[in-house]
Amino acid sequence: MTEERQAKKREKILEGALRAFLRDGYAANMDVIAAEGGVAKQTVYTYFKDKETLFAALVDRLMERFVLAGMTAELMELEPPAFFRTMTQIALQRMDDPEYVGMIRMIIAESGRFPELADMYLTKLVRPGIESLAQYIRESPSLNFSDPEAVARIIHGALVNFMISQEILNGKYSMPMGRERLASSLLELVLFAAEQAKRAR
Amino acid sequence: MTEERQAKKREKILEGALRAFLRDGYAANMDVIAAEGGVAKQTVYTYFKDKETLFAALVDRLMERFVLAGMTAELMELEPPAFFRTMTQIALQRMDDPEYVGMIRMIIAESGRFPELADMYLTKLVRPGIESLAQYIRESPSLNFSDPEAVARIIHGALVNFMISQEILNGKYSMPMGRERLASSLLELVLFAAEQAKRAR
DNA sequence: TGAAAATCAGACTGCGTAGTATGATTATAC
DNA sequence: GTATAATCATACTACGCAGTCTGATTTTCA
């Protein structure tokens, strides 16, 4: 049997799991997962030991997909205004991806049952993002904040929480706010503060 | 039968529910909930129609507890440095309350199954907090940001997300950062930016 | 004290579902 | 073209759990 064939089956299973878990969380039904993947239930169990393993594999794979979508080299070379504008826009665009949003919800929801996933999320996605951001701040002559990493966390937190309240908690209906408003104010906050920090030296 | 007696029973049930739901999420077992409350299972069902009702009642009550713990009048009268320092500290102190942290996790986790709870959280806790903050910014002569509400959301988001990553996702172990660092940088960011904004006029 | 209401313990029902077993069907490879 | 391995459909097992029922015990209050 071809490895390729195995890979295809595995892929179909994960596709079914993706849809079901995204819709129903960890409570998703294994029969349904198999059906959505167009695959026999038994086959699911030949590729994955049990539900936990499948869930972990799925979230893992989902995270992998978003690892690269971070800080590129060319981004890091922009001047602060363009850099923050671009970075913010990229971060906020993720709000439109139901798979990204669903992944975040699942990680938070199951952080009790699957602490390794929460850990992986922080290690693979959050930390690198914050570190790149902090590094950019640190190395920008025009931005001299006293604690670049803390500033990076503030920026990151503001963006992530905006997504959580707007998309996960449905704030886009009950307390909507355009992304541009958030983005502009964030830009204003950071650049003005940087300007003043420079002056204060 | 005394109303008071009913109230006591109801209270015991909710105490059991609190512990069980906080530990196991909505997956908590009704037998266990009754046992933890020191109450017969049947009694639970005389006070609450079903599990959903009980869960909603519990989260509702939990939110009620944190509604008042917001912006007090005297806080609003402080000058910006003291105001932000105090406000930030109050917000970050909630991280030490497992009931607060657990409530947030449950609301996010069950926002699919219980959208009304997510809505209530935004309406009763988040919006008032952001509005008070925005109002303070708007009415402070020394703070003239172009969009006070957006700035309020940024500050609020940074604080909430710090709690989520540190406490819910266990970042306090894998990527720890002291609250004072976050608080100081937030203060620096806001005050410096405000200073510059004033100058820019 | 005694009748009515509330609570109790615990058994029971019904259902959903994770995981397994089976025997038939299809694809792979030599 | 045949043997081998993979996949399929489906039935079955075992178990956990929400919600109900019952009959005994306790509390309330007149």
Side-chain angles (χ1 to χ4, degrees):
Chain A
M1 180 222 217
T2 332
E3 282 176 26
E4 193 188 334
R5 187 189 156 145
Q6 284 187 345
K8 280 242 175 73
K9 272 284 169 248
R10 208 185 139 87
E11 192 52 32
K12 286 189 75 179
I13 295 168
L14 286 169
E15 272 170 31
L18 177 68
R19 296 214 305 212
F21 280 133
L22 238 39
R23 193 182 49 240
D24 306 329
Y26 188 71
N29 182 317
M30 289 297 276
D31 287 292
V32 172
I33 289 171
E36 299 237 37
V39 139
K41 192 179 178 183
Q42 191 56 246
T43 307
V44 175
Y45 281 95
T46 61
Y47 283 85
F48 300 94
K49 182 170 143 281
D50 54 21
K51 191 181 184 180
E52 285 192 18
T53 310
L54 175 59
F55 183 73
L58 175 73
V59 178
D60 193 18
R61 174 160 155 290
L62 216 34
M63 283 197 279
E64 219 59 61
R65 183 183 311 175
F66 296 108
V67 167
L68 301 173
M71 233 51 87
T72 64
E74 66 225 57
L75 185 58
M76 299 288 280
E77 276 161 21
L78 296 172
E79 288 300 298
F83 171 83
F84 284 112
R85 223 176 254 295
T86 311
M87 187 273 292
T88 302
Q89 202 212 355
I90 290 174
L92 291 178
Q93 262 169 0
R94 291 181 174 165
M95 290 172 63
D96 296 323
D97 185 342
E99 300 188 1
Y100 186 78
V101 175
M103 181 188 72
I104 301 294
R105 177 202 258 129
M106 287 194 303
I107 289 170
I108 295 176
E110 304 302 335
S111 58
R113 202 195 311 243
F114 297 97
E116 339 81 53
L117 292 183
D119 194 70
M120 240 168 61
Y121 166 66
L122 291 182
T123 307
K124 287 196 178 176
L125 293 182
V126 176
R127 185 156 54 197
I130 286 176
E131 271 172 11
S132 307
L133 189 48
Q135 193 198 345
Y136 177 86
I137 294 172
R138 206 178 293 117
E139 292 177 359
S140 277
S142 62
L143 305 173
N144 59 327
F145 292 109
S146 60
D147 190 343
E149 198 189 323
V151 172
R153 291 212 192 199
I154 289 166
I155 295 170
H156 173 265
L159 294 169
V160 171
N161 196 257
F162 185 70
M163 185 201 73
I164 292 177
S165 25
Q166 291 290 294
E167 298 297 326
I168 298 184
L169 302 177
N170 302 308
K172 64 178 158 186
Y173 304 118
S174 57
M175 42 184 293
M177 168 173 282
R179 301 178 193 182
E180 338 73 44
R181 279 182 67 189
L182 194 90
S184 300
S185 279
L186 197 52
L187 194 70
E188 175 180 309
L189 208 55
V190 172
L191 296 185
F192 276 13
E195 188 63 32
Q196 182 62 23
K198 194 161 43 170
R199 196 183 293 273
R201 269 191 307 169
Chain B
M1 179 222 218
T2 332
E3 281 176 28
E4 192 188 336
R5 186 188 157 141
Q6 285 188 344
K8 281 240 175 74
K9 273 281 170 252
R10 207 184 141 87
E11 192 52 32
K12 286 190 74 180
I13 294 169
L14 285 169
E15 273 169 31
L18 178 67
R19 297 215 304 211
F21 280 132
L22 238 38
R23 193 181 51 241
D24 306 328
Y26 188 71
N29 182 317
M30 290 298 276
D31 287 292
V32 171
I33 289 171
E36 298 237 37
V39 139
K41 192 179 179 182
Q42 189 57 244
T43 308
V44 175
Y45 282 95
T46 60
Y47 283 85
F48 299 94
K49 181 170 144 283
D50 54 22
K51 192 181 184 180
E52 285 191 20
T53 311
L54 174 59
F55 183 74
L58 175 72
V59 177
D60 193 20
R61 175 161 155 289
L62 216 35
M63 283 197 280
E64 218 59 62
R65 182 184 311 174
F66 296 107
V67 167
L68 301 173
M71 234 49 91
T72 63
E74 66 223 59
L75 185 58
M76 299 288 279
E77 277 160 21
L78 296 173
E79 289 301 299
F83 170 83
F84 284 113
R85 223 176 255 295
T86 312
M87 186 273 291
T88 302
Q89 202 212 355
I90 290 174
L92 291 179
Q93 263 169 0
R94 289 179 176 168
M95 289 172 62
D96 295 324
D97 185 342
E99 300 188 0
Y100 186 78
V101 175
M103 180 188 73
I104 301 295
R105 177 202 259 128
M106 287 194 304
I107 289 170
I108 294 176
E110 304 302 334
S111 58
R113 202 195 308 246
F114 296 98
E116 339 82 55
L117 292 184
D119 194 72
M120 239 169 59
Y121 166 66
L122 291 182
T123 307
K124 286 196 179 176
L125 292 183
V126 176
R127 183 153 55 197
I130 286 175
E131 272 172 12
S132 307
L133 188 47
Q135 194 198 344
Y136 178 86
I137 294 172
R138 206 177 292 116
E139 293 176 0
S140 278
S142 61
L143 306 171
N144 61 328
F145 292 110
S146 59
D147 190 344
E149 198 190 322
V151 172
R153 290 212 192 200
I154 289 167
I155 295 170
H156 173 265
L159 294 169
V160 170
N161 196 258
F162 184 70
M163 186 201 73
I164 291 177
S165 27
Q166 292 289 294
E167 298 296 325
I168 297 185
L169 303 177
N170 301 309
K172 62 178 159 186
Y173 303 118
S174 57
M175 41 184 294
M177 168 171 282
R179 301 176 194 183
E180 337 73 44
R181 278 180 68 189
L182 194 90
S184 299
S185 279
L186 196 52
L187 193 70
E188 176 179 310
L189 209 55
V190 172
L191 296 186
F192 275 14
E195 188 63 31
Q196 183 61 24
K198 195 162 43 173
R199 196 184 292 273
R201 270 192 307 170

